[in-house]
Amino acid sequence: MKTLETKDYIVFLVYFLIIAVYGFWVYRRKKSANATSKDYFLAEGSLTWWAIGASLIASNISAEQFIGMSGSGFKLGLAIATYEWMAAATLIIVAVFFIPVYLKNKIYTMPQFLNKRYNSTVSMIMAVFWLLLYVVVNLTSILYLGALAITSISGIDLNICMFALAAFAVIITLGGMKVIGYTDVIQVFFLILGGLATTYLALNMVSEHYGSSGVLSGFSHLTNKAGDHFHMIFDKSNPNYMSLPGLTVLIGGMWIVNLNYWGCNQYITQRALGADLKTARGGILFAAFLKMLMPLIVVIPGIAAYLLYKEGAFQTEMLQGGEVNPDKAYPVLLNLLPAGLKGLSFAALVAAVVASLAGKANSIATIFTLDIYKKVFNTNANEKKLVNIGKITVVAAMLLAIIIAPHLGIDKKGGFEYIQEYTGFVSPGIFAMFILGFFWKRTTSNAALFATIGGFILSVFFKFLPTFADLSFLASSGFSKDNGSGVYEIPFLDRMGFVFAICVAIMVIISLLEGKKAISDEVELVDDTHHFEEDAEVVTTDANTTVKVKKSKGLEVDTSMFKTTPGFAVGALIIVGLLVALYTIYW
């Protein structure tokens, strides 16, 4: 039944008031007359480890997880949980190796990193690209899918839902990262509580269907009766192999997806960039533990819906246009919740969408204000001006998303697939540019430019390669599969792996060929003892002292940065142990 009852509205109103009152309290308490742009965009020094961790998850989990991953659970099974569980492992790597580099070098935005490591051209190209990606792909899909999900549960008009979600998110975002970070703690509480309520209902329904009771009994029936949906690694004969191609999820393209998303993404890293290293690492580790929990909330309900559908339930509710639509699994379950509990799950979904919208809008405002407006339009802008420009950008981005979202066909592709497809065209090149920039000092700016542009071109090439080349010879190795019409396509994650490997190889070749030029870019010989930089290194001493002048380009990186505390090491080992156990049990 697509309506909310009085009890549901009361529960939702309580959630809304808690968020609004707490957010206003945080804003008033943390407000400073001398607040800088870094205070507003990054909440510099203000977020605790638990606020950072909660904000990471609240920003990450949205309608595409609740609706899209539950739908994938219905279709693919537990294997889709690899996006969540491998993310937990990725977060540990980001905390150990990526965050120390950002914090040590006082990096606040990803374009700033590129400018410091490479040059302003690479930085500006990527700043514009990220703005387009965040507004046209991410912000619109979060808003539209969220509104669709809420409409399917409440019966409220789609446009009203879009405007309401956008307005709610704007109110939170205008308070700055402090308000976003701390209200995200409550958002995550409702997200998990409401999500667990849906899982509880789904498992109870399975249990009752087979004449027993209790969620443990339901889960046991689920693993016995839908055993085909509890395999993490697909073999080549699996019809869903193209989506999750075997060991690629453990040793291939899945790492590129996750490392790029969690380590090279303003939307995510921004939560930790305003903290000290210990706090940032603690928050990221907390987020990793929460990621381990997410499949219970966003995948298990989809598998339960699959089993119940197979047993004759939801036969009409799951249909769309005469065919089964897996993305209907979660809304169908939510509509079966009793009054009050449905309101809680409704609040959880809204919390997930609003938190993601707020985080994305803040990142858009940060990049535009600090990396474009301040550098191109007003280099002398004061701190108050920058904060005001950020607020205007938030409103403008959200209005643009409302206008264009209905025209992108997001619902036809499926939200999770939509986001992965479009970001996947550029992720390999971006990650190659970042990873070599971090750990290979000889990487040049031209090599980075190739990764930026060439990575995208290579991704498009591999996408359309099957239309003019027979790739059946790759089938035996698992790198291609018949799509059902006689055309052998390369699985999406494998395409990303190929593009990343090629980008790294060509970046190395370009950098080595430019070796002499790279050295001349870094040093300048000056026959003048009075006009050189303070950090200049004396090379020779004679009547006219020759001085080797070192430019400021480059990053400060040393191995001591990567040392962790014993507490972090123990937490990381627990997560790795859990991952090994889960993949062993459900291989």
Side-chain angles (χ1 to χ4, degrees):
M1 185 178 181
K2 295 182 180 180
T3 57
L4 295 175
E5 298 183 20
T6 303
K7 289 181 181 178
D8 299 319
Y9 283 112
I10 292 173
V11 171
F12 180 78
L13 182 62
V14 169
Y15 149 75
F16 179 82
L17 288 175
I18 291 174
I19 293 293
V21 172
Y22 182 62
F24 183 72
W25 179 79
V26 169
Y27 176 73
R28 295 291 297 178
R29 181 170 175 264
K30 302 287 185 180
K31 188 178 180 181
S32 170
N34 299 316
T36 66
S37 56
K38 290 184 178 65
D39 291 325
Y40 179 76
F41 294 116
L42 300 167
E44 194 168 27
S46 298
L47 296 182
T48 59
W49 64 267
W50 44 269
I52 291 172
S55 190
L56 282 167
I57 296 303
S59 299
N60 168 243
I61 301 296
S62 190
E64 72 266 22
Q65 270 80 19
F66 272 103
I67 307 302
M69 290 196 79
S70 288
S72 294
F74 183 98
K75 181 182 178 183
L76 309 177
L78 191 64
I80 197 65
T82 191
Y83 278 98
E84 303 299 303
W85 287 339
M86 291 304 291
T90 302
L91 281 164
I92 294 172
I93 293 174
V94 169
V96 174
F97 296 106
F98 286 47
I99 292 299
V101 176
Y102 291 142
L103 297 183
K104 181 74 172 179
N105 292 276
K106 300 187 185 306
I107 301 297
Y108 302 113
T109 70
M110 296 301 98
Q112 181 200 353
F113 165 81
L114 296 176
N115 183 58
K116 188 175 181 69
R117 177 57 184 85
Y118 296 115
N119 59 31
S120 57
T121 302
V122 175
S123 172
M124 189 57 65
I125 289 173
M126 290 308 300
V128 173
F129 160 74
W130 270 313
L131 279 182
L132 291 173
L133 180 70
Y134 286 171
V135 174
V136 178
V137 177
N138 297 107
L139 197 66
T140 53
S141 60
I142 293 169
L143 182 62
Y144 193 70
L145 286 170
L148 271 178
I150 290 168
T151 298
S152 68
I153 296 164
S154 66
I156 300 172
D157 180 74
L158 176 66
N159 291 321
I160 293 175
C161 288
M162 286 180 63
F163 276 103
L165 286 171
F168 194 178
V170 165
I171 290 169
I172 292 175
T173 313
L174 292 180
M177 182 53 79
K178 293 185 185 77
V179 175
I180 294 171
Y182 282 106
T183 53
D184 276 351
V185 176
I186 301 177
Q187 305 275 37
V188 164
F189 172 77
F190 277 96
L191 186 157
I192 292 176
L193 191 62
L196 289 175
T198 308
T199 302
Y200 178 84
L201 166 82
L203 291 176
N204 253 342
M205 288 181 65
V206 171
S207 181
E208 290 170 2
H209 179 80
Y210 290 101
S212 56
S213 62
V215 293
L216 293 179
S217 174
F219 185 78
S220 177
H221 287 300
L222 210 57
T223 54
N224 290 330
K225 305 292 184 181
D228 60 322
H229 271 47
F230 281 88
H231 295 294
M232 292 298 297
I233 307 299
F234 292 158
D235 60 36
K236 289 179 286 186
S237 63
N238 192 296
N240 299 304
Y241 184 82
M242 290 294 292
S243 299
L244 296 169
L247 289 175
T248 295
V249 301
L250 287 179
I251 57 175
M254 184 61 73
W255 283 106
I256 298 167
V257 172
N258 278 301
L259 285 168
N260 178 71
Y261 179 84
W262 294 101
C264 314
N265 182 354
Q266 181 72 30
Y267 174 49
I268 295 299
T269 57
Q270 188 163 336
R271 273 110 192 95
L273 296 183
D276 61 82
L277 182 58
K278 183 179 179 182
T279 303
R281 278 179 167 165
I284 294 172
L285 186 65
F286 179 44
F289 274 105
L290 291 176
K291 280 305 255 182
M292 297 295 295
L293 179 66
M294 285 302 117
L296 183 63
I297 295 172
V298 298
V299 180
I300 295 300
I303 301 176
Y306 162 78
L307 179 58
L308 292 169
Y309 175 80
K310 195 172 73 169
E311 294 288 311
F314 319 137
Q315 293 299 302
T316 56
E317 291 89 341
M318 290 296 301
L319 296 178
Q320 180 173 322
E323 296 183 358
V324 175
N325 180 3
D327 283 353
K328 283 184 169 288
Y330 201 83
V332 164
L333 291 173
L334 254 61
N335 283 321
L336 296 174
L337 285 169
L341 206 54
K342 184 177 180 181
L344 180 62
S345 292
F346 180 69
L349 186 57
V350 172
V353 176
V354 169
S356 293
L357 286 173
K360 188 64 71 177
N362 184 264
S363 296
I364 290 167
T366 303
I367 290 177
F368 177 79
T369 304
L370 300 183
D371 295 300
I372 296 180
Y373 177 80
K374 188 177 181 181
K375 290 184 178 179
V376 178
F377 298 105
N378 191 349
T379 55
N380 298 317
N382 59 34
E383 294 298 315
K384 184 178 180 180
K385 180 70 172 179
L386 292 175
V387 171
N388 288 334
I389 289 296
K391 291 179 178 180
I392 293 169
T393 304
V394 167
V395 176
M398 205 67 76
L399 287 174
L400 186 61
I402 290 172
I403 293 170
I404 66 176
H407 307 292
L408 296 177
I410 299 170
D411 56 327
K412 295 180 178 63
K413 287 181 176 292
F416 198 72
E417 180 184 342
Y418 177 82
I419 292 174
Q420 295 302 323
E421 178 178 349
Y422 285 97
T423 56
F425 278 104
V426 293
S427 296
I430 292 174
F431 182 57
M433 177 170 54
F434 269 76
I435 202 71
L436 287 184
F438 275 141
F439 303 115
W440 195 44
K441 291 183 178 180
R442 297 181 65 180
T443 311
T444 65
S445 299
N446 284 332
L449 272 175
F450 167 78
T452 304
I453 301 168
F456 174 76
I457 294 172
L458 282 168
S459 294
V460 173
F461 171 76
F462 277 109
K463 167 70 174 176
F464 294 102
L465 180 62
T467 61
F468 55 83
D470 181 9
L471 302 180
S472 59
F473 68 95
L474 293 173
S476 59
S477 61
F479 288 127
S480 73
K481 185 176 174 66
D482 189 341
N483 64 5
S485 59
V487 176
Y488 282 80
E489 295 184 357
I490 303 173
F492 167 72
L493 290 173
D494 286 335
R495 289 206 315 265
M496 291 184 67
F498 293 160
V499 173
F500 172 74
I502 294 171
C503 281
V504 168
I506 296 179
M507 284 181 71
V508 169
I509 292 170
I510 292 173
S511 297
L512 291 176
L513 291 175
E514 290 189 320
K516 291 182 179 180
K517 183 177 183 299
I519 293 173
S520 65
D521 283 345
E522 291 175 5
V523 302
E524 178 182 354
L525 297 182
V526 182
D527 291 331
D528 190 333
T529 58
H530 303 292
H531 301 92
F532 54 84
E533 297 177 11
E534 291 182 2
D535 65 345
E537 175 189 340
V538 176
V539 177
T540 62
T541 55
D542 52 29
N544 296 311
T545 301
T546 302
V547 180
K548 181 180 180 183
V549 180
K550 297 184 294 184
K551 293 187 177 181
S552 60
K553 288 291 181 187
L555 300 173
E556 187 176 345
V557 180
D558 61 78
T559 54
S560 65
M561 296 161 53
F562 308 127
K563 185 178 180 180
T564 63
T565 63
F568 180 91
V570 170
L573 284 173
I574 290 172
I575 288 174
V576 172
L578 288 171
L579 287 171
V580 170
L582 287 167
Y583 274 91
T584 301
I585 294 168
Y586 298 114
W587 185 272

